[in-house]
Short mmCIF file of all heavy atoms in Angstrom, two decimals:
data_model
loop_
_atom_site.label_atom_id
_atom_site.label_comp_id
_atom_site.label_asym_id
_atom_site.label_seq_id
_atom_site.Cartn_x
_atom_site.Cartn_y
_atom_site.Cartn_z
N VAL A 1 12.44 -18.00 1.37
CA VAL A 1 11.62 -17.74 0.19
C VAL A 1 12.50 -17.85 -1.05
O VAL A 1 13.71 -17.60 -0.98
CB VAL A 1 10.96 -16.34 0.29
CG1 VAL A 1 12.01 -15.24 0.29
CG2 VAL A 1 9.94 -16.12 -0.81
N GLN A 2 11.90 -18.22 -2.15
CA GLN A 2 12.65 -18.29 -3.40
C GLN A 2 12.84 -16.90 -3.99
O GLN A 2 12.01 -15.99 -3.74
CB GLN A 2 11.92 -19.18 -4.40
CG GLN A 2 11.98 -20.66 -4.07
CD GLN A 2 11.44 -21.53 -5.19
OE1 GLN A 2 10.58 -21.10 -5.95
NE2 GLN A 2 11.95 -22.74 -5.30
N ALA A 3 13.88 -16.76 -4.75
CA ALA A 3 14.11 -15.49 -5.44
C ALA A 3 12.88 -15.13 -6.27
O ALA A 3 12.29 -15.99 -6.92
CB ALA A 3 15.35 -15.59 -6.31
N GLY A 4 12.52 -13.86 -6.21
CA GLY A 4 11.32 -13.40 -6.90
C GLY A 4 10.07 -13.39 -6.04
O GLY A 4 9.04 -12.82 -6.43
N GLY A 5 10.16 -14.02 -4.89
CA GLY A 5 9.02 -14.11 -3.99
C GLY A 5 8.88 -12.89 -3.10
O GLY A 5 9.61 -11.90 -3.24
N SER A 6 7.94 -12.98 -2.16
CA SER A 6 7.63 -11.86 -1.28
C SER A 6 7.55 -12.31 0.17
O SER A 6 7.23 -13.47 0.45
CB SER A 6 6.29 -11.23 -1.67
OG SER A 6 6.31 -10.73 -2.98
N LEU A 7 7.82 -11.39 1.05
CA LEU A 7 7.62 -11.56 2.49
C LEU A 7 7.16 -10.23 3.06
O LEU A 7 7.48 -9.17 2.52
CB LEU A 7 8.91 -11.98 3.19
CG LEU A 7 9.41 -13.41 3.06
CD1 LEU A 7 10.78 -13.55 3.71
CD2 LEU A 7 8.43 -14.40 3.68
N ARG A 8 6.42 -10.31 4.17
CA ARG A 8 6.06 -9.10 4.90
C ARG A 8 6.54 -9.23 6.33
O ARG A 8 6.13 -10.15 7.05
CB ARG A 8 4.56 -8.82 4.87
CG ARG A 8 4.23 -7.45 5.46
CD ARG A 8 2.77 -7.09 5.35
NE ARG A 8 1.97 -7.67 6.42
CZ ARG A 8 0.83 -7.16 6.87
NH1 ARG A 8 0.35 -6.06 6.32
NH2 ARG A 8 0.16 -7.76 7.83
N LEU A 9 7.39 -8.33 6.73
CA LEU A 9 7.88 -8.30 8.10
C LEU A 9 7.00 -7.35 8.93
O LEU A 9 6.51 -6.34 8.43
CB LEU A 9 9.32 -7.80 8.16
CG LEU A 9 10.34 -8.56 7.30
CD1 LEU A 9 11.74 -7.98 7.54
CD2 LEU A 9 10.31 -10.04 7.57
N SER A 10 6.85 -7.71 10.18
CA SER A 10 6.09 -6.88 11.12
C SER A 10 6.97 -6.54 12.31
O SER A 10 7.83 -7.32 12.71
CB SER A 10 4.85 -7.61 11.61
OG SER A 10 3.97 -7.94 10.56
N CYS A 11 6.70 -5.38 12.88
CA CYS A 11 7.43 -4.94 14.07
C CYS A 11 6.41 -4.34 15.02
O CYS A 11 5.68 -3.41 14.65
CB CYS A 11 8.48 -3.91 13.70
SG CYS A 11 9.27 -3.10 15.11
N VAL A 12 6.37 -4.87 16.23
CA VAL A 12 5.44 -4.38 17.23
C VAL A 12 6.22 -3.88 18.43
O VAL A 12 7.11 -4.56 18.94
CB VAL A 12 4.47 -5.49 17.68
CG1 VAL A 12 3.53 -4.98 18.75
CG2 VAL A 12 3.68 -6.02 16.49
N VAL A 13 5.87 -2.70 18.86
CA VAL A 13 6.52 -2.08 20.01
C VAL A 13 5.57 -2.07 21.19
O VAL A 13 4.39 -1.72 21.04
CB VAL A 13 6.95 -0.63 19.69
CG1 VAL A 13 7.68 -0.02 20.87
CG2 VAL A 13 7.79 -0.59 18.44
N SER A 14 6.08 -2.45 22.35
CA SER A 14 5.28 -2.37 23.57
C SER A 14 6.10 -1.65 24.63
O SER A 14 7.31 -1.50 24.53
CB SER A 14 4.87 -3.76 24.03
OG SER A 14 6.02 -4.54 24.33
N GLY A 15 5.39 -1.21 25.67
CA GLY A 15 6.06 -0.44 26.70
C GLY A 15 5.93 1.04 26.42
O GLY A 15 5.01 1.48 25.74
N SER A 16 6.88 1.81 26.91
CA SER A 16 6.80 3.27 26.80
C SER A 16 8.08 3.84 26.20
O SER A 16 8.95 4.32 26.94
CB SER A 16 6.55 3.87 28.19
OG SER A 16 5.35 3.39 28.74
N PRO A 17 8.18 3.80 24.88
CA PRO A 17 9.39 4.35 24.25
C PRO A 17 9.39 5.87 24.18
O PRO A 17 10.36 6.48 23.74
CB PRO A 17 9.35 3.75 22.85
CG PRO A 17 7.91 3.57 22.56
CD PRO A 17 7.30 3.18 23.87
N GLY A 18 8.27 6.49 24.62
CA GLY A 18 8.12 7.91 24.41
C GLY A 18 7.54 8.16 23.03
O GLY A 18 7.12 7.23 22.33
N ARG A 19 7.52 9.41 22.65
CA ARG A 19 6.95 9.74 21.35
C ARG A 19 7.84 9.15 20.26
O ARG A 19 9.04 9.43 20.22
CB ARG A 19 6.88 11.25 21.19
CG ARG A 19 6.06 11.70 20.00
CD ARG A 19 6.00 13.22 19.97
NE ARG A 19 4.97 13.68 19.07
CZ ARG A 19 4.75 14.97 18.82
NH1 ARG A 19 5.47 15.90 19.42
NH2 ARG A 19 3.80 15.32 17.98
N ILE A 20 7.25 8.35 19.38
CA ILE A 20 8.04 7.68 18.35
C ILE A 20 8.29 8.65 17.20
O ILE A 20 7.35 9.10 16.55
CB ILE A 20 7.35 6.40 17.86
CG1 ILE A 20 7.26 5.38 19.00
CG2 ILE A 20 8.12 5.81 16.68
CD1 ILE A 20 6.53 4.10 18.63
N ASN A 21 9.56 8.96 16.98
CA ASN A 21 9.93 9.88 15.91
C ASN A 21 10.07 9.17 14.57
O ASN A 21 9.79 9.74 13.52
CB ASN A 21 11.22 10.59 16.27
CG ASN A 21 11.08 11.43 17.52
OD1 ASN A 21 10.19 12.25 17.63
ND2 ASN A 21 11.95 11.20 18.49
N SER A 22 10.53 7.94 14.63
CA SER A 22 10.66 7.18 13.39
C SER A 22 10.79 5.70 13.70
O SER A 22 11.21 5.31 14.79
CB SER A 22 11.88 7.63 12.58
OG SER A 22 13.08 7.31 13.25
N PHE A 23 10.39 4.90 12.73
CA PHE A 23 10.64 3.47 12.71
C PHE A 23 11.64 3.22 11.58
O PHE A 23 11.55 3.84 10.52
CB PHE A 23 9.38 2.69 12.34
CG PHE A 23 8.34 2.60 13.40
CD1 PHE A 23 7.30 3.52 13.44
CD2 PHE A 23 8.35 1.58 14.33
CE1 PHE A 23 6.29 3.42 14.40
CE2 PHE A 23 7.35 1.46 15.29
CZ PHE A 23 6.32 2.39 15.33
N GLY A 24 12.53 2.27 11.81
CA GLY A 24 13.45 1.91 10.75
C GLY A 24 13.62 0.41 10.68
O GLY A 24 13.48 -0.29 11.68
N TRP A 25 13.87 -0.06 9.47
CA TRP A 25 14.25 -1.46 9.26
C TRP A 25 15.71 -1.45 8.80
O TRP A 25 16.06 -0.74 7.85
CB TRP A 25 13.37 -2.13 8.21
CG TRP A 25 12.02 -2.51 8.69
CD1 TRP A 25 10.85 -1.83 8.50
CD2 TRP A 25 11.68 -3.67 9.46
NE1 TRP A 25 9.81 -2.49 9.10
CE2 TRP A 25 10.29 -3.64 9.69
CE3 TRP A 25 12.41 -4.74 9.97
CZ2 TRP A 25 9.61 -4.63 10.41
CZ3 TRP A 25 11.74 -5.71 10.69
CH2 TRP A 25 10.36 -5.66 10.90
N TYR A 26 16.52 -2.24 9.47
CA TYR A 26 17.92 -2.41 9.11
C TYR A 26 18.15 -3.89 8.83
O TYR A 26 17.38 -4.74 9.26
CB TYR A 26 18.82 -1.97 10.27
CG TYR A 26 18.87 -0.49 10.51
CD1 TYR A 26 17.79 0.18 11.08
CD2 TYR A 26 19.99 0.26 10.17
CE1 TYR A 26 17.83 1.56 11.31
CE2 TYR A 26 20.05 1.63 10.40
CZ TYR A 26 18.97 2.26 10.96
OH TYR A 26 19.02 3.62 11.19
N ARG A 27 19.25 -4.16 8.12
CA ARG A 27 19.63 -5.55 7.93
C ARG A 27 21.13 -5.69 8.13
O ARG A 27 21.89 -4.74 7.90
CB ARG A 27 19.19 -6.08 6.57
CG ARG A 27 19.83 -5.40 5.37
CD ARG A 27 19.16 -5.89 4.10
NE ARG A 27 19.73 -5.26 2.90
CZ ARG A 27 19.20 -5.39 1.69
NH1 ARG A 27 18.12 -6.13 1.49
NH2 ARG A 27 19.77 -4.78 0.67
N GLN A 28 21.50 -6.87 8.50
CA GLN A 28 22.91 -7.13 8.78
C GLN A 28 23.37 -8.36 8.05
O GLN A 28 22.88 -9.47 8.28
CB GLN A 28 23.12 -7.33 10.28
CG GLN A 28 24.58 -7.46 10.67
CD GLN A 28 24.85 -6.89 12.04
OE1 GLN A 28 23.94 -6.66 12.83
NE2 GLN A 28 26.11 -6.64 12.33
N ALA A 29 24.33 -8.15 7.12
CA ALA A 29 24.89 -9.27 6.36
C ALA A 29 26.05 -8.79 5.49
O ALA A 29 25.86 -8.63 4.29
CB ALA A 29 23.83 -9.94 5.49
N PRO A 30 27.26 -8.62 6.04
CA PRO A 30 27.62 -8.68 7.44
C PRO A 30 27.46 -7.34 8.18
O PRO A 30 27.14 -7.34 9.37
CB PRO A 30 29.08 -9.09 7.41
CG PRO A 30 29.59 -8.47 6.14
CD PRO A 30 28.44 -8.54 5.17
N GLY A 31 27.70 -6.21 7.55
CA GLY A 31 27.53 -4.92 8.21
C GLY A 31 26.05 -4.57 8.32
O GLY A 31 25.22 -5.13 7.61
N ARG A 32 25.70 -3.64 9.22
CA ARG A 32 24.29 -3.27 9.39
C ARG A 32 24.00 -2.05 8.53
O ARG A 32 24.71 -1.04 8.62
CB ARG A 32 23.98 -2.98 10.87
CG ARG A 32 22.50 -2.80 11.14
CD ARG A 32 22.20 -2.77 12.64
NE ARG A 32 22.40 -4.06 13.26
CZ ARG A 32 21.96 -4.37 14.49
NH1 ARG A 32 21.30 -3.47 15.19
NH2 ARG A 32 22.20 -5.56 15.00
N GLU A 33 22.97 -2.15 7.71
CA GLU A 33 22.60 -1.04 6.84
C GLU A 33 21.13 -0.70 6.98
O GLU A 33 20.31 -1.59 7.24
CB GLU A 33 22.91 -1.38 5.38
CG GLU A 33 22.09 -2.51 4.80
CD GLU A 33 22.22 -2.66 3.30
OE1 GLU A 33 22.78 -1.76 2.63
OE2 GLU A 33 21.75 -3.68 2.77
N LEU A 34 20.81 0.56 6.77
CA LEU A 34 19.43 0.99 6.78
C LEU A 34 18.75 0.50 5.50
O LEU A 34 19.25 0.72 4.41
CB LEU A 34 19.34 2.51 6.85
CG LEU A 34 17.94 3.10 6.74
CD1 LEU A 34 17.09 2.73 7.94
CD2 LEU A 34 18.01 4.62 6.58
N VAL A 35 17.61 -0.12 5.67
CA VAL A 35 16.83 -0.60 4.53
C VAL A 35 15.71 0.39 4.21
O VAL A 35 15.52 0.79 3.07
CB VAL A 35 16.23 -1.98 4.82
CG1 VAL A 35 15.34 -2.44 3.67
CG2 VAL A 35 17.34 -3.00 5.06
N ALA A 36 14.97 0.78 5.26
CA ALA A 36 13.84 1.70 5.06
C ALA A 36 13.52 2.37 6.38
O ALA A 36 13.76 1.81 7.44
CB ALA A 36 12.61 0.95 4.54
N ARG A 37 12.97 3.58 6.29
CA ARG A 37 12.59 4.32 7.49
C ARG A 37 11.34 5.12 7.20
O ARG A 37 11.14 5.59 6.07
CB ARG A 37 13.72 5.25 7.93
CG ARG A 37 13.41 6.10 9.16
CD ARG A 37 14.67 6.72 9.75
NE ARG A 37 15.48 7.34 8.73
CZ ARG A 37 16.80 7.41 8.79
NH1 ARG A 37 17.46 6.87 9.78
NH2 ARG A 37 17.47 8.02 7.83
N ILE A 38 10.52 5.25 8.23
CA ILE A 38 9.32 6.08 8.12
C ILE A 38 9.26 6.96 9.35
O ILE A 38 9.43 6.51 10.48
CB ILE A 38 8.05 5.21 7.96
CG1 ILE A 38 6.83 6.10 7.72
CG2 ILE A 38 7.84 4.29 9.15
CD1 ILE A 38 5.61 5.32 7.22
N THR A 39 9.02 8.24 9.13
CA THR A 39 8.98 9.19 10.24
C THR A 39 7.58 9.32 10.80
O THR A 39 6.60 8.81 10.23
CB THR A 39 9.45 10.57 9.78
OG1 THR A 39 8.47 11.12 8.88
CG2 THR A 39 10.80 10.49 9.09
N ARG A 40 7.49 10.02 11.90
CA ARG A 40 6.18 10.25 12.51
C ARG A 40 5.25 10.95 11.53
O ARG A 40 4.04 10.71 11.53
CB ARG A 40 6.35 11.10 13.78
CG ARG A 40 5.07 11.27 14.59
CD ARG A 40 5.34 11.99 15.89
NE ARG A 40 5.75 13.37 15.70
CZ ARG A 40 6.93 13.85 16.05
NH1 ARG A 40 7.84 13.06 16.61
NH2 ARG A 40 7.22 15.11 15.87
N GLY A 41 5.81 11.79 10.71
CA GLY A 41 5.01 12.52 9.74
C GLY A 41 4.71 11.73 8.48
O GLY A 41 4.02 12.24 7.58
#
């Protein structure tokens, strides 16, 4: 995408992870950093 543009990422979980306490988005370039997180609440 060009600078100034938009994208929407999706994440789908299947199987049995147990009760989901939080989802997080991380990015790596080069180290891995937390971008955003949302808790069960």
Side-chain angles (χ1 to χ4, degrees):
V1 64
Q2 288 189 331
S6 298
L7 284 174
R8 188 175 83 154
L9 305 183
S10 299
C11 171
V12 178
V13 182
S14 61
S16 300
R19 191 177 194 183
I20 296 177
N21 298 307
S22 67
F23 286 94
W25 283 100
Y26 289 73
R27 64 188 179 189
Q28 186 148 16
R32 189 170 291 194
E33 65 169 348
L34 175 67
V35 176
R37 178 165 48 212
I38 185 166
T39 69
R40 186 174 67 243

